[in-house]
Amino acid sequence: MQIDWNKVSRVLVVRLRSIGDTVLATPSLIALKRFLPEARVDILLEDWVAPVLEGFDAVDNILTVGRSARSRLKAARKIRSAGYEVVFNLHGGTTSTFFVRASGAPHRVGFSGYRYSFLYNHRTASPLEFWNAKKAHSAEQQLALLGAVGVPVGDRPKSRLAVTETALEKLSSKIKIWESKIALLHPAAAFDTKQWAAENFARVAAFLHEKNFEIVAVATKKERAVLEDLQKFSSVPVKIFDDLTLPEITALASAARIFVGNDSGIAHIAAAVQTPSVVIFGSSNRDHWRPWTDAPHRIVFQELACQPCAGHFCKEFSEPECIKRVSVEQVIEALETLL
């Protein structure tokens, strides 16, 4: 069954999970809106991450869902009543499949390898087959899903985020972003296998301070200990923030001259606002998760035979050597090529 795109007026993209996943969905949203400028293009996100797309011009409505059963049922009813003709699932998990099926859309698009793939009536081949490649970035995987049903994606749009005036105003009350030469650090990560030591970030901060940068570091309240360790080990002043909203972090990243951080959602935010960046990789798949941007960037890593891995814990060593073996000298060398 082919999709007659001339008759499509409402499209939903389902993209649950994290900050990085959301940022890397923006190329697909850009491709869709470009292809269907008159259509309504909506996206379903988890409520905590939804603010990252605030002000983004390639989506018309951001639908949100929490983790409770009540929130999911409410979201499903809203999706059902919207009358979408096409629904794409960029994730493939059980919960996202539930929303795709609940939509009642006549065209439900997913990869043939998804769990419960029988609930989709457009089951596409793997992204590697679509791109005729041995490896694919996360953004390319999502673009391949669109491309398989006729959306032009050959130019592989890069990730992009909006910087809102509201976020800039709120941020300006906390830091003089336009009067400072800011280096933004993000020393936290989801797992120990992805988190470079705070002592190392402190040495990078000293290097950047010598280059006349003002050092600013961000993390969440749950990660505040990492920020405090960074301050403790630093020989130079470091401003830390654990209370910035996602739009404020986006605004801060856009104002920064350089970003240095672990492979994380914040690194993808920096890439999406065209900030030059150095991203430190441990257990992650570099081909899949490297910055998806035209902005100058470098990735720093120590290659091991066990990479990549799921990263929840290290199965090969007593400590995660993949991230521990990345040296300060490597990161500084990468910075020198960008500054």
Side-chain angles (χ1 to χ4, degrees):
M1 178 172 55
Q2 296 293 317
I3 301 175
D4 185 350
W5 289 106
N6 292 317
K7 296 180 179 179
V8 172
S9 61
R10 297 190 177 204
V11 179
L12 176 66
V13 173
V14 178
R15 173 72 273 194
L16 304 183
R17 296 188 73 180
S18 71
I19 295 171
D21 293 319
T22 303
V23 175
L24 293 174
T26 61
S28 292
L29 294 171
I30 291 166
L32 266 174
K33 198 63 180 173
R34 182 178 63 190
F35 181 52
L36 301 169
E38 303 304 320
R40 170 177 159 182
V41 176
D42 296 351
I43 188 168
L44 176 67
L45 300 172
E46 293 187 33
D47 52 7
W48 69 274
V49 76
V52 80
L53 289 191
E54 196 171 288
F56 183 62
D57 61 0
V59 67
D60 294 291
N61 297 285
I62 300 172
L63 312 183
T64 64
V65 61
R67 296 190 175 182
S68 69
R70 182 178 180 181
S71 176
R72 290 177 178 180
L73 288 172
K74 183 179 178 181
R77 285 194 294 268
K78 187 172 184 178
I79 289 169
R80 183 78 175 195
S81 66
Y84 296 108
E85 292 107 353
V86 182
V87 178
F88 291 94
N89 186 353
L90 300 187
H91 177 216
T94 302
T95 303
S96 55
T97 296
F98 161 73
F99 289 118
V100 173
R101 188 65 187 90
S103 72
H107 301 286
R108 302 179 302 279
V109 187
F111 286 116
S112 57
Y114 280 175
R115 185 181 295 182
Y116 308 116
S117 63
F118 64 89
L119 295 175
Y120 299 84
N121 54 8
H122 294 269
R123 293 181 289 275
T124 70
S126 79
L128 298 184
E129 185 175 333
F130 177 83
W131 294 113
N132 190 26
K134 294 181 179 179
K135 300 175 181 178
H137 193 277
S138 173
E140 290 175 307
Q141 286 191 345
Q142 297 171 72
L143 286 166
L145 190 65
L146 278 61
V149 292
V151 179
V153 297
D155 62 333
R156 308 180 205 212
K158 296 300 186 284
S159 58
R160 174 162 55 82
L161 292 175
V163 178
T164 68
E165 289 298 325
T166 300
L168 284 171
E169 289 175 7
K170 290 181 178 179
L171 184 65
S172 296
S173 68
K174 302 173 183 178
I175 183 173
K176 296 178 180 179
I177 53 176
W178 305 128
E179 299 173 23
S180 307
K181 182 182 171 184
I182 295 172
L184 177 60
L185 307 187
H186 182 240
F191 307 120
D192 289 344
T193 59
K194 297 171 65 174
Q195 186 164 305
W196 206 43
E199 299 98 310
N200 293 338
F201 276 104
R203 290 175 61 189
V204 171
F207 167 79
L208 289 167
H209 183 74
E210 289 179 1
K211 302 289 185 180
N212 299 315
F213 282 93
E214 179 176 352
I215 314 302
V216 180
V218 296
T220 66
K221 286 190 179 298
K222 291 181 180 179
E223 299 163 335
R224 184 172 179 84
V226 179
L227 295 177
E228 291 175 345
D229 282 345
L230 173 58
Q231 278 190 323
K232 179 177 70 176
F233 292 120
S234 289
S235 59
V236 299
V238 178
K239 290 185 178 180
I240 61 173
F241 293 97
D242 66 359
D243 60 349
L244 298 183
T245 65
L246 288 172
E248 287 172 344
I249 290 175
T250 302
L252 177 57
S254 73
R257 303 279 189 91
I258 192 76
F259 169 86
V260 185
N262 300 307
D263 168 42
S264 68
I266 307 304
H268 289 296
I269 286 176
V273 293
Q274 297 290 297
T275 300
S277 59
V278 173
V279 183
I280 304 155
F281 276 79
S283 58
S284 305
N285 186 327
R286 299 182 295 275
D287 295 311
H288 193 78
W289 295 114
R290 65 188 301 149
W292 190 250
T293 179
D294 288 327
H297 65 278
R298 301 287 184 272
I299 59 171
V300 183
F301 58 92
Q302 279 286 349
E303 192 162 3
L304 296 176
C306 53
Q307 291 170 309
C309 76
H312 300 91
F313 59 92
C314 183
K315 297 179 181 180
E316 298 295 323
F317 303 95
S318 59
E319 294 184 309
E321 293 294 329
C322 55
I323 194 72
K324 284 185 170 294
R325 292 187 190 182
V326 176
S327 70
V328 173
E329 289 72 23
Q330 282 179 276
V331 173
I332 288 177
E333 182 180 345
L335 279 167
E336 286 178 328
T337 69
L338 293 178
L339 295 178

PDB file of all heavy atoms in Angstrom, residues 21-38:
ATOM      1  N   ASP A  21      18.216  11.554  21.825  1.00  0.00           N
ATOM      2  CA  ASP A  21      17.284  10.958  20.863  1.00  0.00           C
ATOM      3  C   ASP A  21      16.395  12.023  20.236  1.00  0.00           C
ATOM      4  O   ASP A  21      16.118  11.994  19.033  1.00  0.00           O
ATOM      5  CB  ASP A  21      16.405   9.916  21.561  1.00  0.00           C
ATOM      6  CG  ASP A  21      17.183   8.700  22.022  1.00  0.00           C
ATOM      7  OD1 ASP A  21      18.053   8.241  21.274  1.00  0.00           O
ATOM      8  OD2 ASP A  21      16.924   8.219  23.134  1.00  0.00           O
ATOM      9  N   THR A  22      15.941  12.956  21.065  1.00  0.00           N
ATOM     10  CA  THR A  22      15.059  14.020  20.577  1.00  0.00           C
ATOM     11  C   THR A  22      15.792  14.947  19.621  1.00  0.00           C
ATOM     12  O   THR A  22      15.288  15.293  18.552  1.00  0.00           O
ATOM     13  CB  THR A  22      14.489  14.818  21.761  1.00  0.00           C
ATOM     14  OG1 THR A  22      13.798  13.917  22.647  1.00  0.00           O
ATOM     15  CG2 THR A  22      13.529  15.890  21.297  1.00  0.00           C
ATOM     16  N   VAL A  23      16.999  15.361  20.007  1.00  0.00           N
ATOM     17  CA  VAL A  23      17.777  16.250  19.137  1.00  0.00           C
ATOM     18  C   VAL A  23      18.048  15.575  17.794  1.00  0.00           C
ATOM     19  O   VAL A  23      17.947  16.203  16.735  1.00  0.00           O
ATOM     20  CB  VAL A  23      19.101  16.654  19.811  1.00  0.00           C
ATOM     21  CG1 VAL A  23      19.962  17.480  18.856  1.00  0.00           C
ATOM     22  CG2 VAL A  23      18.837  17.438  21.091  1.00  0.00           C
ATOM     23  N   LEU A  24      18.340  14.288  17.830  1.00  0.00           N
ATOM     24  CA  LEU A  24      18.676  13.576  16.599  1.00  0.00           C
ATOM     25  C   LEU A  24      17.443  13.199  15.779  1.00  0.00           C
ATOM     26  O   LEU A  24      17.573  12.662  14.675  1.00  0.00           O
ATOM     27  CB  LEU A  24      19.517  12.336  16.917  1.00  0.00           C
ATOM     28  CG  LEU A  24      20.908  12.666  17.468  1.00  0.00           C
ATOM     29  CD1 LEU A  24      21.636  11.402  17.892  1.00  0.00           C
ATOM     30  CD2 LEU A  24      21.736  13.449  16.455  1.00  0.00           C
ATOM     31  N   ALA A  25      16.266  13.516  16.300  1.00  0.00           N
ATOM     32  CA  ALA A  25      15.038  13.385  15.502  1.00  0.00           C
ATOM     33  C   ALA A  25      14.785  14.637  14.672  1.00  0.00           C
ATOM     34  O   ALA A  25      13.971  14.611  13.746  1.00  0.00           O
ATOM     35  CB  ALA A  25      13.843  13.123  16.416  1.00  0.00           C
ATOM     36  N   THR A  26      15.481  15.741  14.988  1.00  0.00           N
ATOM     37  CA  THR A  26      15.202  16.989  14.263  1.00  0.00           C
ATOM     38  C   THR A  26      15.517  16.902  12.774  1.00  0.00           C
ATOM     39  O   THR A  26      14.794  17.516  11.981  1.00  0.00           O
ATOM     40  CB  THR A  26      15.934  18.193  14.908  1.00  0.00           C
ATOM     41  OG1 THR A  26      17.361  17.993  14.863  1.00  0.00           O
ATOM     42  CG2 THR A  26      15.485  18.389  16.346  1.00  0.00           C
ATOM     43  N   PRO A  27      16.537  16.163  12.325  1.00  0.00           N
ATOM     44  CA  PRO A  27      16.713  16.032  10.877  1.00  0.00           C
ATOM     45  C   PRO A  27      15.496  15.425  10.182  1.00  0.00           C
ATOM     46  O   PRO A  27      15.124  15.849   9.079  1.00  0.00           O
ATOM     47  CB  PRO A  27      17.943  15.129  10.753  1.00  0.00           C
ATOM     48  CG  PRO A  27      18.720  15.393  11.999  1.00  0.00           C
ATOM     49  CD  PRO A  27      17.679  15.560  13.053  1.00  0.00           C
ATOM     50  N   SER A  28      14.859  14.461  10.826  1.00  0.00           N
ATOM     51  CA  SER A  28      13.663  13.845  10.248  1.00  0.00           C
ATOM     52  C   SER A  28      12.503  14.832  10.220  1.00  0.00           C
ATOM     53  O   SER A  28      11.739  14.891   9.246  1.00  0.00           O
ATOM     54  CB  SER A  28      13.277  12.599  11.048  1.00  0.00           C
ATOM     55  OG  SER A  28      14.242  11.575  10.881  1.00  0.00           O
ATOM     56  N   LEU A  29      12.368  15.621  11.265  1.00  0.00           N
ATOM     57  CA  LEU A  29      11.311  16.633  11.294  1.00  0.00           C
ATOM     58  C   LEU A  29      11.547  17.690  10.210  1.00  0.00           C
ATOM     59  O   LEU A  29      10.603  18.141   9.549  1.00  0.00           O
ATOM     60  CB  LEU A  29      11.246  17.282  12.672  1.00  0.00           C
ATOM     61  CG  LEU A  29      10.819  16.364  13.821  1.00  0.00           C
ATOM     62  CD1 LEU A  29      11.016  17.062  15.160  1.00  0.00           C
ATOM     63  CD2 LEU A  29       9.370  15.918  13.666  1.00  0.00           C
ATOM     64  N   ILE A  30      12.799  18.065  10.036  1.00  0.00           N
ATOM     65  CA  ILE A  30      13.146  19.039   8.992  1.00  0.00           C
ATOM     66  C   ILE A  30      12.785  18.484   7.616  1.00  0.00           C
ATOM     67  O   ILE A  30      12.184  19.177   6.783  1.00  0.00           O
ATOM     68  CB  ILE A  30      14.649  19.386   9.071  1.00  0.00           C
ATOM     69  CG1 ILE A  30      14.935  20.189  10.345  1.00  0.00           C
ATOM     70  CG2 ILE A  30      15.106  20.159   7.835  1.00  0.00           C
ATOM     71  CD1 ILE A  30      16.417  20.284  10.690  1.00  0.00           C
ATOM     72  N   ALA A  31      13.137  17.220   7.371  1.00  0.00           N
ATOM     73  CA  ALA A  31      12.839  16.599   6.083  1.00  0.00           C
ATOM     74  C   ALA A  31      11.343  16.500   5.839  1.00  0.00           C
ATOM     75  O   ALA A  31      10.859  16.742   4.722  1.00  0.00           O
ATOM     76  CB  ALA A  31      13.485  15.212   6.022  1.00  0.00           C
ATOM     77  N   LEU A  32      10.589  16.155   6.872  1.00  0.00           N
ATOM     78  CA  LEU A  32       9.137  16.032   6.736  1.00  0.00           C
ATOM     79  C   LEU A  32       8.483  17.375   6.437  1.00  0.00           C
ATOM     80  O   LEU A  32       7.650  17.493   5.526  1.00  0.00           O
ATOM     81  CB  LEU A  32       8.546  15.464   8.029  1.00  0.00           C
ATOM     82  CG  LEU A  32       8.347  13.957   8.113  1.00  0.00           C
ATOM     83  CD1 LEU A  32       7.896  13.579   9.514  1.00  0.00           C
ATOM     84  CD2 LEU A  32       7.324  13.486   7.080  1.00  0.00           C
ATOM     85  N   LYS A  33       8.842  18.391   7.197  1.00  0.00           N
ATOM     86  CA  LYS A  33       8.219  19.706   7.019  1.00  0.00           C
ATOM     87  C   LYS A  33       8.590  20.312   5.672  1.00  0.00           C
ATOM     88  O   LYS A  33       7.772  20.996   5.036  1.00  0.00           O
ATOM     89  CB  LYS A  33       8.625  20.641   8.162  1.00  0.00           C
ATOM     90  CG  LYS A  33       7.723  21.848   8.305  1.00  0.00           C
ATOM     91  CD  LYS A  33       6.294  21.429   8.660  1.00  0.00           C
ATOM     92  CE  LYS A  33       5.367  22.615   8.816  1.00  0.00           C
ATOM     93  NZ  LYS A  33       3.970  22.210   8.990  1.00  0.00           N
ATOM     94  N   ARG A  34       9.794  20.056   5.248  1.00  0.00           N
ATOM     95  CA  ARG A  34      10.230  20.530   3.939  1.00  0.00           C
ATOM     96  C   ARG A  34       9.419  19.857   2.826  1.00  0.00           C
ATOM     97  O   ARG A  34       9.062  20.485   1.826  1.00  0.00           O
ATOM     98  CB  ARG A  34      11.715  20.211   3.796  1.00  0.00           C
ATOM     99  CG  ARG A  34      12.379  20.650   2.522  1.00  0.00           C
ATOM    100  CD  ARG A  34      13.853  20.294   2.570  1.00  0.00           C
ATOM    101  NE  ARG A  34      14.075  18.847   2.653  1.00  0.00           N
ATOM    102  CZ  ARG A  34      15.256  18.298   2.895  1.00  0.00           C
ATOM    103  NH1 ARG A  34      16.317  19.078   3.097  1.00  0.00           N
ATOM    104  NH2 ARG A  34      15.400  16.987   2.949  1.00  0.00           N
ATOM    105  N   PHE A  35       9.135  18.576   2.999  1.00  0.00           N
ATOM    106  CA  PHE A  35       8.382  17.803   2.010  1.00  0.00           C
ATOM    107  C   PHE A  35       6.892  18.130   2.042  1.00  0.00           C
ATOM    108  O   PHE A  35       6.230  18.142   0.998  1.00  0.00           O
ATOM    109  CB  PHE A  35       8.598  16.313   2.308  1.00  0.00           C
ATOM    110  CG  PHE A  35       7.918  15.367   1.364  1.00  0.00           C
ATOM    111  CD1 PHE A  35       8.082  15.477  -0.016  1.00  0.00           C
ATOM    112  CD2 PHE A  35       7.124  14.341   1.860  1.00  0.00           C
ATOM    113  CE1 PHE A  35       7.464  14.575  -0.878  1.00  0.00           C
ATOM    114  CE2 PHE A  35       6.508  13.442   1.009  1.00  0.00           C
ATOM    115  CZ  PHE A  35       6.673  13.560  -0.364  1.00  0.00           C
ATOM    116  N   LEU A  36       6.377  18.419   3.244  1.00  0.00           N
ATOM    117  CA  LEU A  36       4.947  18.681   3.421  1.00  0.00           C
ATOM    118  C   LEU A  36       4.751  20.029   4.126  1.00  0.00           C
ATOM    119  O   LEU A  36       4.289  20.082   5.271  1.00  0.00           O
ATOM    120  CB  LEU A  36       4.306  17.570   4.254  1.00  0.00           C
ATOM    121  CG  LEU A  36       4.400  16.138   3.700  1.00  0.00           C
ATOM    122  CD1 LEU A  36       3.974  15.140   4.763  1.00  0.00           C
ATOM    123  CD2 LEU A  36       3.543  15.998   2.449  1.00  0.00           C
ATOM    124  N   PRO A  37       5.095  21.131   3.465  1.00  0.00           N
ATOM    125  CA  PRO A  37       5.059  22.436   4.144  1.00  0.00           C
ATOM    126  C   PRO A  37       3.667  22.855   4.609  1.00  0.00           C
ATOM    127  O   PRO A  37       3.547  23.618   5.574  1.00  0.00           O
ATOM    128  CB  PRO A  37       5.607  23.392   3.081  1.00  0.00           C
ATOM    129  CG  PRO A  37       5.383  22.708   1.783  1.00  0.00           C
ATOM    130  CD  PRO A  37       5.545  21.249   2.070  1.00  0.00           C
ATOM    131  N   GLU A  38       2.627  22.364   3.955  1.00  0.00           N
ATOM    132  CA  GLU A  38       1.262  22.742   4.323  1.00  0.00           C
ATOM    133  C   GLU A  38       0.635  21.777   5.317  1.00  0.00           C
ATOM    134  O   GLU A  38      -0.442  22.049   5.857  1.00  0.00           O
ATOM    135  CB  GLU A  38       0.385  22.825   3.065  1.00  0.00           C
ATOM    136  CG  GLU A  38       0.897  23.781   2.000  1.00  0.00           C
ATOM    137  CD  GLU A  38       1.089  25.192   2.531  1.00  0.00           C
ATOM    138  OE1 GLU A  38       0.226  25.644   3.312  1.00  0.00           O
ATOM    139  OE2 GLU A  38       2.098  25.833   2.179  1.00  0.00           O
TER     140      GLU A  38
END
